Amino acid sequence: MNVLKCKECGHIDSIQSIELITERFPVHVNGDEIEVDSSNGKYIYSEIECFMCWVCESTFGSDKESIEEMIVEIEG
């Protein structure tokens, strides 16, 4: 089985993508207030900002090639 191993701290399966996400939400007028229905969003687009190790908080760029060298095989 292949997993990602952080090249800074050596932790296994600690790499996460940090993403900017665009969603749209319904907006309503309630008296004088404008309310956003944040429970009813629709995903539009996301972009990877970077990859990050959640253990040591090192970042590794935004393209998948930045972390491909961290792929290791483990028995399992």
Side-chain angles (χ1 to χ4, degrees), residues 3 9 14 17-18 21 24-26 44 47 51 56 67 75:
V3 296
C9 72
S14 61
S17 66
I18 305 300
I21 299 172
R24 67 177 188 221
F25 300 95
I44 296 174
E47 181 177 328
F51 292 98
C56 69
I67 61 168
E75 292 183 28

Side-chain angles (χ1 to χ4, degrees), residues 22-61:
T22 302
E23 291 184 84
R24 67 177 188 221
F25 300 95
V27 178
H28 311 290
V29 177
N30 185 2
D32 293 339
E33 299 290 319
I34 296 175
E35 297 179 349
V36 177
D37 181 1
S38 60
S39 66
N40 195 14
K42 168 98 171 104
Y43 168 85
I44 296 174
Y45 173 78
S46 68
E47 181 177 328
I48 295 174
E49 185 176 280
C50 67
F51 292 98
M52 184 179 101
C53 174
W54 62 267
V55 174
C56 69
E57 297 185 348
S58 295
T59 57
F60 303 104

